[in-house]
Amino acid sequence: MAEKKMWGGRFAEGTAASMEAYSESVSYDWQLYAEDIRGSQAHARVLAKQGFLTEDEAAQICEGLDKVKAEIEAGDFEWKTEMEDVHMNVESRLTDIIGPLGGKLHTARSRNDQVALDFRLHVAARLASWKEYLASLIEVYVARAEEHKETLLPGCTHFQPAQPVSLAHHLLAYCQMFKRDLERVEDALKRVRVMPLGAAALAGTTHPVNPQAVADDLGVENIFANSMDAVSDRDFALEAVFTGSLIMTHLSRMCEEVIIWANPNFGYVKLPDQYATGSSIMPQKKNPDACELMRGKTGRVVGSLMSLLVVLKGLPMTYNRDLQEDKEPFFDADKTVTASLGIMKGMLEQLVFVPEKMLATVERGFLNATELADYLAAKGVPFREAHHITGAAVAFAEGKGVGLENLSLEDFKQFSADIEEDVFGVLDYRACVERRTSPGGTGPASVNKQIGDLKVWLEAIK
Ligand code: ARG
């Protein structure tokens, strides 16, 4: 029979070995040790402030916890499965070091509010880091966009070439996705940064706690309003993993494009060696594995989101042990999101764009057809008719194996008397982009404004 548990006062028998293995969380929640110790130190200081511990006792507890932390960081700490989780491992070692006084630390506190605090502090720190990763990724997108204001590529709908756009405009579209992600991280942080200690097991406590003082000590803005919600709420973790899922979804869309662009049939990009791999059998190959893995790992993060949603969906009030299943999905999502953002940044910095290849596909897809229709409409031809005339001109040019811009004025005249010499200026591919002066369009003024606005915003969020 195993030795008595810290909670084992009423138990005559120990836990079955299989149950111990099933219920332990220390194999992964040890990662919360720094937050656990920080939270306990704040708790001890406030217990002293409230007159429950002497200043000297609080100081001994805080110093003892510093020693525990140093042991953990030096790799000298023995994590014990039979202690279940990080909280009991840390507390029990504290008591080894400072004696029975260690047992006073858990006054006015339950592991239920303790774990909620630790996890919130951890998620908050990780989200702050995601924010930095997102900002530096956006910076790289902006820099690459600035290099490629003049580069044209086919803008697609239905993945069919539609109208020419600048590569800058295409890349800046991703900036908007990642900007929203960053704003979502900031917004989620407001609800993560809520201090739950003082809720105790579920109902509050008879001890004179001071949650606001703990929050102030920890530099967390808000405190819980309802003790039952405080110990059972994991919305904050869910929001974080949702935010991560959307970040991955955006990264995955970019990956999909890079994979297509790197295919020699497109040839729009050359993959940097550092982020590609070769084939063990086909010597000519350079595979976009970083992108494929990121696209694949997106499934993992979305899977974590599903795990968390399902863990929460049937829980009656308040803390239930099911909630222990909240950490691994977040840890795994965090690892994947952080690594992916870093890899995308590195890859995008080195990605070689091939403007000639992009232009070649612009020139063979009748991407200026809309211009001809708009040109006729501007001359008073009803748009439906202009569309029809243009379609006929496209079919004619296709038959000759040339682009619209290669037809002669006589050729055009067969389709409409309204077409004049000035049509050639309109059909020019660069003009297609430059004439799109509508707000947020691909025209140069809009692209410059997008870049300028993003730079101002990046500066402001620093
Ligand atoms: N390891 C537990 C968890 O992660 C800590 C809280 C345990 N609380 C309890 N009442 N058993 O949820």
Side-chain angles (χ1 to χ4, degrees):
M1 196 169 72
E3 67 181 84
K4 278 242 159 136
K5 299 290 180 195
M6 284 173 99
W7 40 252
R10 62 156 293 175
F11 286 75
E13 281 193 72
T15 317
S18 57
M19 173 54 192
E20 200 158 87
Y22 197 64
S23 90
E24 70 83 23
S25 55
V26 68
S27 55
Y28 52 87
D29 70 13
W30 68 268
Q31 295 173 74
L32 298 176
Y33 77 87
E35 289 87 358
D36 192 68
I37 288 172
R38 225 181 114 208
S40 288
Q41 289 176 328
H43 180 60
R45 280 191 287 266
V46 174
L47 283 181
K49 196 172 161 186
Q50 299 299 104
F52 203 89
L53 293 177
T54 65
E55 291 294 340
D56 180 56
E57 286 174 326
Q60 284 185 54
I61 288 176
C62 289
E63 280 164 30
L65 286 166
D66 281 337
K67 284 190 188 135
V68 175
K69 189 173 178 196
E71 285 179 8
I72 295 171
E73 289 175 354
D76 293 339
F77 191 90
E78 192 196 339
W79 295 103
K80 294 183 182 148
T81 308
E82 61 275 20
M83 293 283 170
E84 277 185 23
D85 55 27
V86 60
H87 324 291
M88 296 211 282
N89 268 276
V90 168
E91 191 189 315
S92 125
R93 181 67 191 129
L94 173 70
T95 304
D96 289 347
I97 298 174
I98 68 169
L101 170 62
K104 285 198 178 183
L105 172 64
H106 211 52
T107 315
R109 184 174 79 167
S110 153
R111 269 190 294 158
N112 299 350
D113 55 348
Q114 184 180 1
V115 70
L117 174 62
D118 296 1
F119 197 26
R120 282 174 179 276
L121 291 175
H122 182 79
V123 173
R126 298 310 307 144
L127 289 190
S129 157
W130 291 8
K131 206 181 126 175
E132 281 174 25
Y133 273 93
L134 282 164
S136 49
L137 177 61
I138 295 169
E139 267 173 30
V140 175
Y141 267 99
V142 171
R144 300 306 317 256
E146 279 192 293
E147 288 168 35
H148 288 282
K149 291 189 201 174
E150 304 293 323
T151 303
L152 302 189
L153 83 162
C156 291
T157 61
H158 312 267
F159 196 55
Q160 305 302 312
Q163 294 173 343
V165 292
S166 70
L167 177 57
H169 194 54
H170 192 125
L171 295 173
L172 290 166
Y174 281 91
C175 290
Q176 296 302 322
M177 296 183 215
F178 293 120
K179 176 171 182 271
R180 286 192 295 274
D181 289 333
L182 193 150
E183 288 165 349
R184 239 182 307 273
V185 169
E186 283 181 324
D187 186 60
L189 269 169
K190 288 186 222 153
R191 286 172 296 281
V192 176
R193 294 174 58 78
V194 175
M195 208 298 296
L197 211 62
L202 76 161
T205 168
T206 55
H207 295 297
V209 292
N210 187 344
Q212 189 58 56
V214 179
D216 293 345
D217 186 295
L218 292 168
V220 175
E221 299 78 16
N222 301 306
I223 60 167
F224 68 99
N226 178 304
S227 61
M228 296 177 77
D229 181 51
V231 293
S232 68
D233 170 40
R234 293 295 183 273
D235 295 357
F236 68 91
L238 202 57
E239 282 191 63
V241 178
F242 168 71
T243 305
S245 297
L246 201 41
I247 292 171
M248 290 304 297
T249 301
H250 293 151
L251 289 170
S252 186
R253 292 184 67 176
M254 179 70 187
C255 288
E256 177 67 13
E257 298 216 85
V258 173
I259 290 167
I260 291 166
W261 290 351
N263 178 296
N265 292 318
F266 276 76
Y268 289 5
V269 294
K270 291 195 179 113
L271 294 170
D273 283 358
Q274 286 189 32
Y275 297 93
T277 52
S279 159
S280 54
I281 173 167
M282 297 163 284
Q284 85 284 10
K285 290 198 74 183
K286 191 165 179 186
N287 294 328
D289 292 37
C291 292
E292 294 165 86
L293 281 165
M294 214 175 286
R295 197 174 53 179
K297 284 174 188 283
T298 301
R300 262 177 103 111
V301 180
V302 175
S304 292
L305 175 63
M306 293 306 124
S307 297
L308 266 181
L309 278 167
V310 177
V311 165
L312 293 179
K313 73 169 266 297
L315 293 188
M317 279 285 151
T318 55
Y319 177 85
N320 296 274
R321 193 64 183 277
D322 314 43
L323 289 176
Q324 183 167 291
E325 292 295 310
D326 60 356
K327 287 165 213 73
E328 285 173 294
F330 178 79
F331 290 161
D332 192 72
D334 174 37
K335 192 173 147 213
T336 308
V337 168
T338 307
S340 302
L341 286 169
I343 298 263
M344 180 56 87
K345 177 182 175 241
M347 186 179 66
L348 186 61
E349 270 167 346
Q350 296 178 28
L351 196 63
V352 177
F353 292 104
V354 188
E356 316 81 72
K357 287 275 193 177
M358 296 182 183
L359 188 62
T361 48
V362 167
E363 285 171 347
R364 59 165 198 255
F366 296 101
L367 267 70
N368 47 6
T370 313
E371 310 312 302
L372 179 56
D374 282 343
Y375 167 88
L376 288 166
K379 296 212 165 184
V381 180
F383 187 77
R384 286 287 155 229
E385 202 185 314
H387 188 284
H388 199 80
I389 293 168
T390 305
V394 166
F396 177 77
E398 198 168 32
K400 293 184 77 166
V402 298
L404 283 176
E405 66 282 9
N406 306 118
L407 296 180
S408 66
L409 189 54
E410 293 71 58
D411 290 335
F412 279 122
K413 288 283 187 197
Q414 327 167 41
F415 301 104
S416 168
D418 291 309
I419 303 178
E420 309 286 351
E421 189 61 40
D422 61 353
V423 76
F424 294 103
V426 165
L427 291 175
D428 177 72
Y429 293 105
R430 208 154 285 285
C432 299
V433 169
E434 279 162 12
R435 292 174 67 244
R436 281 196 159 54
T437 52
S438 61
T442 188
S446 153
V447 164
N448 284 329
K449 178 174 177 347
Q450 291 177 59
I451 292 172
D453 287 353
L454 282 163
K455 284 184 170 174
V456 169
W457 174 78
L458 282 166
E459 203 47 52
I461 59 159
K462 268 186 188 149

Short mmCIF file of all heavy atoms in Angstrom, two decimals, residues 25 29 85 87 111-112 115 319 321 323-324 327, ligand 1:
data_model
loop_
_atom_site.label_atom_id
_atom_site.label_comp_id
_atom_site.label_asym_id
_atom_site.label_seq_id
_atom_site.Cartn_x
_atom_site.Cartn_y
_atom_site.Cartn_z
N SER A 25 -1.14 14.53 -12.63
CA SER A 25 -0.99 15.53 -13.69
C SER A 25 0.40 16.16 -13.65
O SER A 25 0.75 16.95 -14.51
CB SER A 25 -2.05 16.63 -13.54
OG SER A 25 -2.00 17.19 -12.25
N ASP A 29 1.83 19.16 -15.63
CA ASP A 29 1.55 20.47 -15.02
C ASP A 29 2.74 21.01 -14.21
O ASP A 29 2.69 22.13 -13.70
CB ASP A 29 0.23 20.51 -14.24
CG ASP A 29 0.23 19.70 -12.95
OD1 ASP A 29 1.31 19.29 -12.49
OD2 ASP A 29 -0.87 19.49 -12.40
N ASP A 85 0.18 16.39 -8.35
CA ASP A 85 0.31 17.54 -9.25
C ASP A 85 1.39 18.51 -8.79
O ASP A 85 2.02 18.32 -7.74
CB ASP A 85 -1.05 18.26 -9.44
CG ASP A 85 -1.68 18.67 -8.11
OD1 ASP A 85 -0.95 18.88 -7.13
OD2 ASP A 85 -2.92 18.77 -8.07
N HIS A 87 1.10 21.43 -7.62
CA HIS A 87 0.80 22.18 -6.39
C HIS A 87 1.26 21.42 -5.15
O HIS A 87 1.88 21.99 -4.26
CB HIS A 87 -0.70 22.46 -6.28
CG HIS A 87 -1.34 22.74 -7.60
ND1 HIS A 87 -1.06 23.89 -8.29
CD2 HIS A 87 -2.19 22.02 -8.38
CE1 HIS A 87 -1.74 23.86 -9.44
NE2 HIS A 87 -2.42 22.74 -9.51
N ARG A 111 -6.94 23.87 -3.84
CA ARG A 111 -6.26 23.68 -5.12
C ARG A 111 -7.15 24.17 -6.27
O ARG A 111 -6.67 24.43 -7.36
CB ARG A 111 -5.90 22.20 -5.32
CG ARG A 111 -4.53 21.86 -4.80
CD ARG A 111 -4.14 20.48 -5.23
NE ARG A 111 -5.00 19.48 -4.61
CZ ARG A 111 -5.20 18.24 -5.08
NH1 ARG A 111 -4.57 17.85 -6.18
NH2 ARG A 111 -5.98 17.40 -4.45
N ASN A 112 -8.45 24.26 -6.00
CA ASN A 112 -9.35 24.68 -7.07
C ASN A 112 -9.11 26.13 -7.50
O ASN A 112 -9.05 26.42 -8.69
CB ASN A 112 -10.81 24.49 -6.64
CG ASN A 112 -11.11 23.04 -6.33
OD1 ASN A 112 -10.29 22.16 -6.61
ND2 ASN A 112 -12.27 22.77 -5.74
N VAL A 115 -5.18 26.28 -8.80
CA VAL A 115 -4.88 25.85 -10.17
C VAL A 115 -5.44 26.86 -11.17
O VAL A 115 -4.84 27.13 -12.21
CB VAL A 115 -5.36 24.41 -10.45
CG1 VAL A 115 -6.88 24.30 -10.53
CG2 VAL A 115 -4.75 23.88 -11.74
N TYR A 319 -16.00 23.14 -9.62
CA TYR A 319 -14.81 22.41 -10.04
C TYR A 319 -15.14 20.93 -10.17
O TYR A 319 -15.79 20.35 -9.30
CB TYR A 319 -13.65 22.57 -9.03
CG TYR A 319 -12.44 21.74 -9.44
CD1 TYR A 319 -11.51 22.23 -10.34
CD2 TYR A 319 -12.28 20.42 -8.98
CE1 TYR A 319 -10.44 21.46 -10.77
CE2 TYR A 319 -11.21 19.64 -9.40
CZ TYR A 319 -10.29 20.17 -10.29
OH TYR A 319 -9.25 19.40 -10.72
N ARG A 321 -13.09 17.22 -11.57
CA ARG A 321 -11.74 16.78 -11.92
C ARG A 321 -11.52 16.74 -13.42
O ARG A 321 -10.38 16.78 -13.90
CB ARG A 321 -11.47 15.40 -11.29
CG ARG A 321 -10.02 14.97 -11.32
CD ARG A 321 -9.12 15.88 -10.48
NE ARG A 321 -7.73 15.51 -10.58
CZ ARG A 321 -7.15 14.54 -9.88
NH1 ARG A 321 -7.84 13.86 -8.97
NH2 ARG A 321 -5.88 14.26 -10.04
N LEU A 323 -11.68 18.99 -15.22
CA LEU A 323 -10.97 20.22 -15.57
C LEU A 323 -9.45 20.03 -15.63
O LEU A 323 -8.75 20.84 -16.24
CB LEU A 323 -11.34 21.35 -14.61
CG LEU A 323 -12.77 21.89 -14.76
CD1 LEU A 323 -13.06 22.94 -13.70
CD2 LEU A 323 -12.96 22.49 -16.15
N GLN A 324 -8.97 18.97 -15.02
CA GLN A 324 -7.54 18.70 -15.13
C GLN A 324 -7.14 18.45 -16.59
O GLN A 324 -5.98 18.61 -16.96
CB GLN A 324 -7.18 17.48 -14.26
CG GLN A 324 -5.71 17.16 -14.24
CD GLN A 324 -5.36 16.18 -13.14
OE1 GLN A 324 -5.41 16.50 -11.96
NE2 GLN A 324 -5.03 14.96 -13.52
N LYS A 327 -5.26 21.32 -19.42
CA LYS A 327 -3.91 21.86 -19.60
C LYS A 327 -3.20 21.33 -20.85
O LYS A 327 -2.61 22.11 -21.61
CB LYS A 327 -3.06 21.59 -18.37
CG LYS A 327 -3.46 22.48 -17.21
CD LYS A 327 -2.91 22.02 -15.90
CE LYS A 327 -3.87 22.35 -14.78
NZ LYS A 327 -5.09 21.50 -14.76
N1 ARG B 1 -4.38 18.85 -10.62
C1 ARG B 1 -5.68 19.43 -10.42
C2 ARG B 1 -6.16 20.06 -11.72
O1 ARG B 1 -5.39 20.28 -12.56
C3 ARG B 1 -5.60 20.47 -9.36
C4 ARG B 1 -6.90 20.73 -8.67
C5 ARG B 1 -7.30 19.56 -7.89
N2 ARG B 1 -8.46 19.82 -7.14
C6 ARG B 1 -9.18 18.85 -6.56
N3 ARG B 1 -10.22 19.22 -5.90
N4 ARG B 1 -8.83 17.61 -6.68
O2 ARG B 1 -7.33 20.33 -11.90
#
